[in-house]
Amino acid sequence: MNDINYRIYGRSKGRKKINLINEKFYKKIIFDPKYDIIKKKNNILDIGSGNGENTIHLANCNPNKEIIACDKYYDGNINLCNKLIDLKLNNVKIYNDNINKLLDELKCKNYFNEIWILFPDPWPKKRHNKRRLIDSFFLRKLYDFLNDNGKIYIATDSIMYFISILKNLHELRNIFIWKNDIPQNWIYNKKLPKTKFFKKSQILERTVFFFELLKI
């Protein structure tokens, strides 16, 4: 499939150059789904990992699991790599490309125990809504890569995106259970990672909505 079908909107590089501490280590942790074989079946996928705050959180909380951070934002991946070196974490792989390309190239289904999507771009303008990552088609695609009783975690501070996801879940109620469907449980838990975008939402006094989806 041509890469034009894997277009990602937004920046792939930052404005300021970030220096890589150890190029050899960076090359070692790059994940290539065509060649890398991970024997474990309880891997965790962090989609849109950005600067890596959630990836670091997941790696610390799950030392015996492999975390795959997926983001085309190169500077964020360098930042994540540098943090991994500083913290001496060795259970993270980085996929520096489009998530749909990663899923299409993976060799097997039932690959992940958890999939995290924290603060995906909401594309609030109506003419840009089709750029949103999360829709019923994408969630169905993720379903195939989840283990039995696997979970998807999603966070957004966009009320319009929240409503859109709710509509998607109504369509997919035969394959996913919305675990925290009681309104008082929708709010982003204090125990969850405090990413850059979470902190920004707090400054702007926006409510952060959280989804916990269980594969049926």
Side-chain angles (χ1 to χ4, degrees), residues 132 156 158-170 209 211:
R132 289 175 177 167
T156 181
S158 165
I159 185 65
M160 297 307 296
Y161 210 170
F162 173 72
I163 293 171
S164 173
I165 294 171
L166 285 180
K167 293 177 180 177
N168 297 150
L169 292 181
H170 181 70
F209 301 97
F211 294 91

Side-chain angles (χ1 to χ4, degrees), residues 129-144:
N129 284 178
K130 290 183 179 180
R131 296 183 180 183
R132 289 175 177 167
L133 175 66
I134 301 172
D135 57 21
S136 57
F137 175 82
F138 183 68
L139 290 174
R140 286 183 187 277
K141 191 170 187 176
L142 293 183
Y143 178 90
D144 290 335

Side-chain angles (χ1 to χ4, degrees), residues 14 30-31 49 69 76 78 95 111 115 167 191 202 207 211 213:
I30 290 297
F31 181 69
S49 49
I78 290 178
Y95 183 75
Y111 201 77
I115 297 176
K167 293 177 180 177
K191 295 180 181 180
Q202 296 298 287
T207 299
F211 294 91
L213 312 180

Side-chain angles (χ1 to χ4, degrees), residues 86-97:
D86 288 341
L87 297 171
K88 295 181 172 58
L89 292 172
N90 295 301
N91 60 328
V92 173
K93 292 280 189 177
I94 294 176
Y95 183 75
N96 191 191
D97 213 324

Side-chain angles (χ1 to χ4, degrees), residues 18-203:
I18 300 177
N19 294 320
L20 184 61
I21 293 176
N22 187 326
E23 186 174 352
K24 184 177 180 180
F25 180 81
Y26 181 74
K27 290 180 178 179
K28 179 182 177 182
I29 64 172
I30 290 297
F31 181 69
D32 188 338
K34 291 182 178 179
Y35 303 104
D36 289 345
I37 298 175
I38 299 179
K39 295 180 180 179
K40 301 174 186 176
K41 284 287 187 176
N42 59 351
N43 310 298
I44 298 176
L45 175 63
D46 187 14
I47 299 175
S49 49
N51 286 314
E53 299 98 335
N54 186 45
T55 302
I56 295 295
H57 172 82
L58 293 170
N60 277 317
C61 293
N62 303 276
N64 296 319
K65 297 181 181 180
E66 191 88 307
I67 317 300
I68 299 176
C70 178
D71 204 309
K72 202 169 183 177
Y73 182 46
Y74 180 67
D75 289 0
N77 290 331
I78 290 178
N79 185 67
L80 170 57
C81 179
N82 290 342
K83 288 180 180 177
L84 294 173
I85 293 170
D86 288 341
L87 297 171
K88 295 181 172 58
L89 292 172
N90 295 301
N91 60 328
V92 173
K93 292 280 189 177
I94 294 176
Y95 183 75
N96 191 191
D97 213 324
N98 184 295
I99 178 57
N100 283 300
K101 186 176 182 181
L102 169 62
L103 297 177
D104 288 344
E105 292 182 350
L106 276 175
K107 296 179 180 178
C108 60
K109 307 291 185 178
N110 305 108
Y111 201 77
F112 300 107
N113 200 49
E114 297 177 11
I115 297 176
W116 290 72
I117 314 173
L118 300 188
F119 303 96
D121 197 322
W123 295 107
K125 293 181 180 179
K126 189 174 182 179
R127 68 176 183 272
H128 293 153
N129 284 178
K130 290 183 179 180
R131 296 183 180 183
R132 289 175 177 167
L133 175 66
I134 301 172
D135 57 21
S136 57
F137 175 82
F138 183 68
L139 290 174
R140 286 183 187 277
K141 191 170 187 176
L142 293 183
Y143 178 90
D144 290 335
F145 291 90
L146 280 172
N147 295 333
D148 292 340
N149 297 315
K151 291 183 178 181
I152 299 176
Y153 299 98
I154 304 170
T156 181
D157 62 355
S158 165
I159 185 65
M160 297 307 296
Y161 210 170
F162 173 72
I163 293 171
S164 173
I165 294 171
L166 285 180
K167 293 177 180 177
N168 297 150
L169 292 181
H170 181 70
E171 294 180 31
L172 304 175
R173 59 191 182 278
N174 61 322
I175 61 173
F176 287 113
I177 294 174
W178 182 15
K179 292 284 290 180
N180 61 322
D181 61 346
I182 301 173
Q184 58 262 36
N185 294 334
W186 294 352
I187 308 304
Y188 199 78
N189 192 297
K190 292 181 180 179
K191 295 180 181 180
L192 294 168
K194 306 301 183 287
T195 68
K196 171 185 174 182
F197 289 103
F198 172 78
K199 292 175 181 177
K200 183 178 179 180
S201 70
Q202 296 298 287
I203 293 171

